[in-house]
Amino acid sequence: MLPSLAALALCLLYTLALGQTLQFHEHVFLRFLGLDKVPSPKKFQPVPSILKRIFQAQEAAASTGISKDLCYVKELGVRGNILRLLPDQGSFLYSENLSHAPCLQKLLSFNLSAIGDEEQLTMAQLGLDLGPSTYYNLGPELELSLSLVQTEPHVTDQSTPKMGKMITLQSVPWPQGVLHFNLLDVAKRNNDPHKNLALFLEIVVKGGRASGENFQLEGTCARLRRSLHASLLVVTLHPEQCRSPSRKRRAAVSTSKAACKSLCHRHQLFINFRDLGWHKWIIAPKGFMANYCHGECPFSLTISLNSSNYAFMQALMHAVDPEVPQAVCIPTKLSPISMLYQDNDDNVILRHYEDMIVDECGCG
């Protein structure tokens, strides 16, 4: 049987950490992370607060030994093991005469090319930050419309893009804070997932347009442009990298109970991302205690060394026929980790990875 991509990635990490000859190219681990090349960000992007909160909650659960399904995002109520907060890459469309035009028009554009074909989209939430919410100095009421874009204008073209279906039309007080819109169905209907998701945002200040109000209107629109910030929170599920956390495990034999240091047991191994030169794009953790399994699996102690029935039979056959390979020391229980890193588009990603820490060893 060919080794899995996860197993190859772990072998690469262990080989590098132990200072041995590199047998697996770095691209194996990058493929495991869903990257095509080593990211080289110009600077670390600030970690979005929502991703930081989820990562800290996962780290806290892991430190207490609580069994948690990291492929379910409790804070968002959806399944998924990859979280991306994609920044808006669109531009404003300006009008010379605000008294006869919407207060604000903006093309919103989100790059979805980083989402792999094997990933299942479970959440796509648009966040529109219109400025800090306050009970004082309330401004005028705003009418907000959001529509799909069929054809994006060229970079040098400031004309209105070709409009598609309207997603929402609503009135909101201002300052409002952050508004959220569920775009899961819209993102799923995107014909080409590698294309940008393009939206058209238009905001109109409700009320009269008399000439005496123009100065105040211009100030309101200018503040809106300065404070407006859009992002798309995308959650996807990679089915092959997610399993149920309630897997049944065999009873383990701890290292301290090993009758001899040469017998199969777990050894400590800390993977330091700085030593590997990956600290330039991996934000957190700085490293992790991966551990590894090593030791002998003699027939007389096979049963007591957390072995499978097959390993016992293999050891029995090896005693009869030396040409049958002896049972080897392998991981019998592994646990996951979560990682925050920047991809090749400088997006901050929170991703969950199964089977990254060796908890128990046995003969197999």
Side-chain angles (χ1 to χ4, degrees):
M1 184 189 305
L2 291 175
S4 67
L5 189 58
L8 290 176
L10 280 176
C11 286
L12 170 64
L13 285 177
Y14 296 160
T15 302
L16 287 171
L18 290 171
Q20 299 174 359
T21 302
L22 180 61
Q23 298 177 352
F24 300 98
H25 294 293
E26 191 176 42
H27 72 83
V28 173
F29 182 68
L30 295 175
R31 282 178 55 205
F32 181 65
L33 293 181
L35 300 171
D36 55 357
K37 61 181 180 180
V38 177
S40 54
K42 297 178 181 178
K43 63 177 182 178
F44 267 133
Q45 300 292 338
V47 179
S49 57
I50 179 66
L51 299 188
K52 183 183 296 184
R53 289 198 305 271
I54 296 173
F55 176 78
Q56 291 174 342
Q58 292 173 348
E59 288 283 281
S63 64
T64 56
I66 299 175
S67 178
K68 185 178 180 181
D69 184 1
L70 295 185
C71 288
Y72 176 77
V73 188
K74 180 180 178 182
E75 292 80 359
L76 302 175
V78 296
R79 294 282 296 167
N81 65 320
I82 309 171
L83 288 79
R84 301 177 175 92
L85 192 66
L86 305 179
D88 170 34
Q89 299 178 350
S91 57
F92 286 99
L93 303 177
Y94 292 95
S95 175
E96 296 180 357
N97 188 355
L98 287 174
S99 62
H100 296 87
C103 180
L104 180 151
Q105 290 182 323
K106 192 175 193 301
L107 177 68
L108 306 179
S109 183
F110 301 98
N111 184 4
L112 304 181
S113 62
I115 300 176
D117 295 333
E118 69 282 356
E119 297 178 39
Q120 300 174 2
L121 191 64
T122 60
M123 183 176 185
Q125 184 184 77
L126 173 67
L128 290 180
D129 189 347
L130 302 181
S133 180
T134 177
Y135 292 103
Y136 305 100
N137 300 323
L138 293 178
E141 189 174 9
L142 307 177
E143 185 177 79
L144 182 150
S145 66
L146 189 66
S147 306
L148 285 173
V149 171
Q150 292 182 344
T151 304
E152 295 186 41
H154 296 292
V155 176
T156 57
D157 184 9
Q158 291 298 318
S159 62
T160 303
K162 186 177 180 180
M163 307 294 291
K165 178 183 178 182
M166 180 175 288
I167 299 174
T168 185
L169 175 65
Q170 66 182 78
S171 296
V172 297
W174 186 73
Q176 169 64 31
V178 181
L179 299 173
H180 294 107
F181 302 91
N182 182 2
L183 300 184
L184 180 60
D185 293 337
V186 173
K188 283 184 175 180
R189 287 197 300 267
N190 198 26
N191 294 331
D192 184 357
H194 299 295
K195 288 177 56 178
N196 287 355
L197 175 62
L199 307 167
F200 181 69
L201 172 66
E202 184 175 87
I203 297 179
V204 175
V205 176
K206 300 186 70 174
R209 293 299 182 95
S211 59
E213 299 178 2
N214 287 344
F215 178 79
Q216 182 180 1
L217 175 62
E218 291 179 2
T220 299
C221 296
R223 291 197 302 273
L224 266 175
R225 289 194 186 96
R226 288 195 299 267
S227 60
L228 177 65
H229 177 75
S231 59
L232 185 69
L233 177 60
V234 176
V235 182
T236 59
L237 178 70
H238 195 306
E240 295 181 0
Q241 296 178 359
C242 280
R243 296 193 297 271
S244 171
S246 58
R247 285 173 287 180
K248 195 172 182 180
R249 302 291 190 183
R250 292 175 173 267
V253 176
S254 63
T255 304
S256 60
K257 293 182 180 180
C260 178
K261 291 183 178 181
S262 64
L263 295 180
C264 174
H265 66 276
R266 185 185 67 178
H267 299 256
Q268 287 190 344
L269 173 63
F270 183 77
I271 304 294
N272 189 326
F273 290 130
R274 177 172 290 275
D275 293 342
L276 304 179
W278 295 343
H279 63 288
K280 298 177 182 178
W281 54 278
I282 296 179
I283 302 172
K286 304 302 181 184
F288 67 101
M289 188 65 75
N291 304 321
Y292 68 98
C293 296
H294 183 70
E296 300 175 0
C297 291
F299 169 66
S300 58
L301 294 175
T302 301
I303 295 180
S304 62
L305 292 178
N306 194 26
S307 307
S308 64
N309 293 334
Y310 178 81
F312 172 74
M313 295 303 299
Q314 183 176 349
L316 179 62
M317 292 304 299
H318 174 75
V320 177
D321 183 2
E323 291 188 2
V324 176
Q326 192 171 11
V328 295
C329 187
I330 59 173
T332 56
K333 180 180 179 182
L334 300 107
S335 57
I337 67 169
S338 296
M339 286 176 53
L340 274 169
Y341 63 92
Q342 288 184 214
D343 67 3
N344 296 317
D345 296 315
D346 282 352
N347 296 317
V348 178
I349 298 177
L350 171 58
R351 187 161 182 170
H352 155 78
Y353 295 99
E354 287 275 5
D355 300 340
M356 292 293 286
I357 298 176
V358 176
D359 294 324
E360 298 170 6
C361 300
C363 297

